[in-house]
Amino acid sequence: QGGNDSGGTSASAQKDTVVVDGSSTVFRISQAAQLGFTKANGSDVKVLVGRKGTGGGFGRYLEGEVDIVDASRAAKPEDHPPVGHDAAA
């Protein structure tokens, strides 16, 4: 139980997995949501929660590695994909 801080799972590789990463400040909230989701829904969908920092979470999102970014600050210009880039693709 708890979070997975390894960040080794690709968000797009497994449709039955939701990957959350970002701020260590928000980590405990996401970890509690992870546990509540698993308790309410069983283990059909695995939720992985990391804490690589807000910038790290945005970076992983831009690489298509995470589904949800925990952010403890507003996104900076460098946290956004370049024009014409589709991070969800």
Side-chain angles (χ1 to χ4, degrees):
Q1 290 191 328
N4 177 340
D5 208 15
S6 67
T9 302
S10 170
S12 61
Q14 296 182 11
K15 293 181 182 176
D16 58 347
T17 301
V18 175
V19 182
V20 181
D21 203 349
S23 172
S24 59
T25 304
V26 185
F27 174 75
R28 288 185 180 192
I29 297 168
S30 293
Q31 191 176 42
Q34 169 198 37
L35 295 173
F37 180 88
T38 301
K39 183 177 180 180
N41 296 288
S43 60
D44 289 343
V45 176
K46 188 172 186 178
V47 180
L48 304 176
V49 180
R51 53 180 165 190
K52 300 220 181 289
T54 298
F58 280 124
R60 291 190 68 204
Y61 176 78
L62 291 174
E63 294 297 320
E65 297 175 357
V66 299
D67 301 297
I68 300 170
V69 177
D70 284 339
S72 58
R73 60 166 172 79
K76 297 178 181 177
E78 59 267 23
D79 295 327
H80 295 278
V83 175
H85 176 79
D86 183 3

